[in-house]
Every structure is written in structure tokens, then in C-alpha cells.
Amino acid sequence: MGREQCVTNLLEVTRPEDILESAVDQTEWRLEVERVLPQLKVVVHADSKDWRSHLEQLQAQRKDMAESLNRATTQLDRVATEAGRALEKLNSRERYLNQQLEAPLAELRTAQERLSAAKDRYRAVSGGVVERSRTLAQLTEELEQVRKALAQLKADISQMNVRIGVANHTLLQARLKEKGNQQRAASTPVDLVF
């Protein structure tokens, strides 16, 4: 039986009782179904406005979120426990270090205060040192000028001593010559001519 015959048989049946009883052979029916099956596949496109599909999606997402939440809660609890332990260890270590370093820190504070006081004294004294350094530089300059003047005076005195020596020598020679002349004149008779 072909397809046209099936359609004809369906059209001949007009009563509901006749519809419930099929006059078609089962093997023929299966062959026909296999032949037209690719054409009969109905693809149901999900309507984005369909509330049933939204409800199914929401239920699936809710289930996924519940599973993820359970896994995340377990992991977060573990992380929180580890973080709490680590924080407690840090607090304990901090207390221990504070106890151990309390005395050195007090000494450090005292040393810093002494250093600050010493810096203040240094600033106060260094102002006087700067003024004294300026005065010392002026005095050193004046002393250098005095040294130069003394050196010049020594040179002048040396020259004067040489001149005085030469003058003394010349004077002595002149006196000796005059004395020699006087002795010669006294030793020679004087002829008086009248």
C-alpha cells in the first residue's frame, strides 16, 4: 500500500469508532513511518517568552548555584579556618616580638632623644664656631700682612746695617788717614820761614 491509499483510507473513515480500529497492516505502517520519519521530525524552537522554559532554566540554575554554593562554602570555611590560625600565629608572634623588643625600643627612644638634644646643642655651638672661624680668618689675614711687613723690615734693616757698616768703614778710614796725616805732620819739622 502506498501513501495515497493510506490517505484514501483515512478519508473514508468518518466515524470515531472507525478511527479507533485501523485497517492498515502493521508492517506496512512501520515501513511508511520509517520512510517519512525524517520529514516528520518536529524541531521545537524554544520560545524566549515561554514561561515553562524560563522556569526550567531557573530550576537548573538554582540547582547549579546550590551545588556551587556548597562547594564554595566548604572551601571558604577551610580558608577561613586557615586564615584564623595564621592570624592567631601572627598575633602571638607580634606579642612575643613586642615583649622581646620593648627594652631595646626604650633604649632606642632614649638614644634618639639624646641625639636630638646633641644636635640642638651642636646647632647652638656651631653658630659661635662659624663666627669665630670668620674672626680667625680675618686675624690670620692680618697676621700674614704683619709677617710680610716684618720680612720687609728685616730686609730694610739688613740693607741699613750694610750701609751703616760701609759708612762706619769709610769714616774709620777717613779718621785713620787724618790721624796718619797728623802724625806725619807732627813728625816732620816745620821750617819757619820769616
Side-chain angles (χ1 to χ4, degrees):
M1 264 173 71
R3 187 172 158 190
E4 290 97 22
Q5 192 176 11
C6 283
V7 173
T8 308
N9 286 344
L10 284 175
L11 292 176
E12 290 175 1
V13 177
T14 56
R15 294 179 301 170
E17 294 87 23
D18 291 336
I19 295 176
L20 292 178
E21 290 180 23
S22 174
V24 180
D25 186 27
Q26 283 186 354
T27 28
E28 286 181 28
W29 180 257
R30 284 190 189 137
L31 288 173
E32 185 64 22
V33 167
E34 287 176 18
R35 187 182 67 77
V36 293
L37 184 63
Q39 298 170 358
L40 294 177
K41 285 191 178 179
V42 177
V43 177
V44 178
H45 296 289
D47 186 11
S48 62
K49 296 180 182 178
D50 186 23
W51 64 270
R52 287 182 197 104
S53 64
H54 286 296
L55 182 62
E56 289 172 3
Q57 287 175 353
L58 286 174
Q59 288 173 345
Q61 289 173 353
R62 183 177 181 189
K63 181 181 173 186
D64 291 343
M65 286 177 31
E67 291 172 2
S68 297
L69 180 63
N70 287 337
R71 284 192 308 262
T73 303
T74 305
Q75 291 173 352
L76 288 174
D77 287 343
R78 189 174 343 115
V79 168
T81 304
E82 290 173 7
R85 281 190 221 133
L87 187 59
E88 183 57 37
K89 283 181 184 178
L90 283 174
N91 286 337
S92 172
R93 186 72 177 158
E94 183 181 4
R95 284 190 300 270
Y96 173 76
L97 288 175
N98 284 339
Q99 289 172 353
Q100 295 297 317
L101 297 176
E102 190 171 324
L105 285 174
E107 290 176 16
L108 177 64
R109 279 189 220 101
T110 304
Q112 285 176 338
E113 289 170 1
R114 286 194 317 250
L115 177 64
S116 177
K119 283 182 179 179
D120 290 342
R121 284 193 310 269
Y122 172 76
R123 279 190 214 105
V125 170
S126 68
V129 169
V130 169
E131 185 59 37
R132 288 182 186 126
S133 295
R134 207 174 296 130
T135 304
L136 179 62
Q138 289 174 348
L139 290 175
T140 304
E141 188 177 316
E142 291 174 9
L143 182 62
E144 190 62 34
Q145 290 175 355
V146 168
R147 281 185 188 159
K148 286 180 183 177
L150 280 175
Q152 185 64 38
L153 277 174
K154 283 182 183 178
D156 289 348
I157 288 174
S158 293
Q159 269 187 341
M160 291 300 276
N161 282 338
V162 169
R163 285 184 185 169
I164 290 172
V166 169
N168 278 339
H169 180 68
T170 306
L171 184 61
L172 184 62
Q173 286 223 352
R175 281 187 190 164
L176 283 176
K177 195 177 190 182
E178 189 178 316
K179 201 176 195 183
N181 284 340
Q182 283 179 357
Q183 282 179 357
R184 255 185 287 154
S187 66
T188 53
V190 178
D191 288 333
L192 288 173
V193 179
F194 290 95

